[in-house]
């Protein structure tokens, strides 16, 4: 049976570093990366973030209440999902968007069995709308959906090479950790996912690979089970 993999992509994957919105070239590039990854015959589900458009706490600015602001963030993930779907279809990759916030005209509602059926038929499934609840993040959605579809492997594509012992953007001597258990990562207070997401990962113990999104070919290497970046187990 092909491996079932859940890939968490931040909204930043759809834009240029430091920019906001959706950038066509970034979109095209990521679609090509995903296309070459699915050629390995894995079953691939993607949880897409929304931070390139709206992040609840950051962008609410104390004016928009937290619940509305988070709801706006979840809607941003739907915008990204539609953009990614379009780019993947352009690249010849069959895709379905399943969303936890119902927008019937645009995408299918999230139904676990439906998601699994699409994966079995070789379609890339894009999970939109996060968990469908405010006060969470799309990292939590990734951990939740990975648990529901019984993913063999979870991949988190990030801006840096993996998990470091301190912030590599602030500390040039920060060391990349190649392999660590969930228990040790929590004990050391390593920040690669929020606490709610980490709690679910710890319970399900799926192998998690955190790797650099910006290195060409990395998604394919990660889905092929190559030990790039950091493995948490
Ligand atoms: N969000 C939410 N519940 C969820 C997932 C996301 O309320 O289950 C909101 C939250 O405001 C978050 C925003 O959607 O800031 C965008 O998601 P996230 O920050 O996880 O996107 P990423 O950083 O991965 O692009």
């Amino acid at each position: 049976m092909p491996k079932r993999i859940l890939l968490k992509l931040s909204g930043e994957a759809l834009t240029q570093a430091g920019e906001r919105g959706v950038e066509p070239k970034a979109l095209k590039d990521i679609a090509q990366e995903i296309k070459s990854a699915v050629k390995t015959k894995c079953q691939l589900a993607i949880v897409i973030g929304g931070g390139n458009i709206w992040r609840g706490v950051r962008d609410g600015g104390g004016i928009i209440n937290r619940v509305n602001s988070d709801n706006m963030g979840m809607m941003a993930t739907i915008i990204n999902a539609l953009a990614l779907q379009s780019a993947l279809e352009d690249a010849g990759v069959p895709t379905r968007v399943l969303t936890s916030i119902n927008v019937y005209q645009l995408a299918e509602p999230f139904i676990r069995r439906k998601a699994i059926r699409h994966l079995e038929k070789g379609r890339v499934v894009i999970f939109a709308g996060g968990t469908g609840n405010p006060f969470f993040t799309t990292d939590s959605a990734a951990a939740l959906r990975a648990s529901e579809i019984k993913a063999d492997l979870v991949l988190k594509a990030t801006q840096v090479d993996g998990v470091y012992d301190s912030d590599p953007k602030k500390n040039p001597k920060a060391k990349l950790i190649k392999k660590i258990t969930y228990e040790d990562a929590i004990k050391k207070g390593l920040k690669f996912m929020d606490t709610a997401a980490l709690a679910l990962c710890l319970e399900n113990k799926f192998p998690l690979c955190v790797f650099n999104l910006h290195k060409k070919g990395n998604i394919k290497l990660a889905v092929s089970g190559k030990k790039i970046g950091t493995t948490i187990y």
Side-chain angles (χ1 to χ4, degrees):
M1 253 238 306
K3 271 204 164 175
R4 185 169 294 161
I5 293 167
L6 188 129
L7 168 67
K8 159 71 208 295
L9 280 183
S10 283
E12 285 164 344
L14 309 190
T15 189
Q16 300 286 1
E19 298 289 316
R20 296 185 76 172
V22 176
E23 207 270 318
K25 164 116 187 8
L27 199 55
K28 217 174 162 186
D29 289 349
I30 192 81
Q32 285 304 325
E33 290 290 293
I34 293 168
K35 181 181 180 168
S36 98
V38 291
K39 280 193 183 141
T40 63
K41 299 279 175 235
C42 63
Q43 295 183 1
L44 185 68
I46 299 172
V47 167
I48 183 80
N52 56 320
I53 298 172
W54 193 267
R55 219 173 249 144
V57 176
R58 178 194 67 191
D59 298 317
I63 301 291
I64 301 167
N65 73 59
R66 174 72 192 268
V67 173
N68 276 15
S69 198
D70 278 344
N71 288 342
M72 291 165 71
M74 287 188 275
M75 285 175 17
T77 70
I78 299 172
I79 294 175
N80 282 338
L82 295 179
L84 185 59
Q85 177 179 44
S86 182
L88 283 170
E89 282 178 350
D90 265 3
V93 181
T95 308
R96 293 289 185 276
V97 175
L98 269 61
T99 168
S100 45
I101 298 173
N102 291 328
V103 278
Y104 295 114
Q105 287 81 358
L106 311 185
E108 295 176 27
F110 168 72
I111 297 169
R112 191 183 69 91
R113 286 172 199 279
K114 234 359 215 318
I116 290 171
R117 191 78 192 112
H118 286 315
L119 290 169
E120 286 170 349
K121 286 192 166 177
R123 298 166 182 147
V124 169
V125 170
I126 304 173
F127 291 124
T131 64
N133 298 287
F135 301 101
F136 285 95
T137 65
T138 50
D139 278 357
S140 295
L144 180 63
R145 296 295 180 239
S147 314
E148 287 175 288
I149 65 168
K150 295 192 170 29
D152 300 301
L153 176 66
V154 179
L155 308 176
K156 182 174 154 103
T158 63
Q159 306 298 316
V160 289
D161 279 344
V163 181
Y164 288 79
D165 59 357
S166 61
D167 187 347
K169 286 183 178 155
K170 291 182 190 149
N171 176 11
K173 288 194 178 144
K175 273 205 192 105
L176 180 73
I177 298 166
K178 289 250 158 117
K179 216 173 159 192
I180 191 163
T181 62
Y182 280 108
E183 286 86 353
D184 285 347
I186 291 169
K187 254 188 239 156
K188 287 184 194 287
L190 299 175
K191 300 247 179 299
F192 52 92
M193 269 188 165
D194 62 80
T195 323
L198 212 51
L200 253 182
C201 288
L202 179 67
E203 195 177 324
N204 288 280
K205 285 275 172 74
F206 14 68
L208 166 69
C209 171
V210 181
F211 66 96
N212 194 332
L213 169 72
H214 301 294
K215 286 197 179 147
K216 206 165 180 270
N218 256 1
I219 297 181
K220 186 175 179 180
L221 288 174
V223 304
S224 312
K226 296 278 178 312
K227 301 283 177 243
I228 56 168
T230 303
T231 303
I232 301 115
Y233 59 102

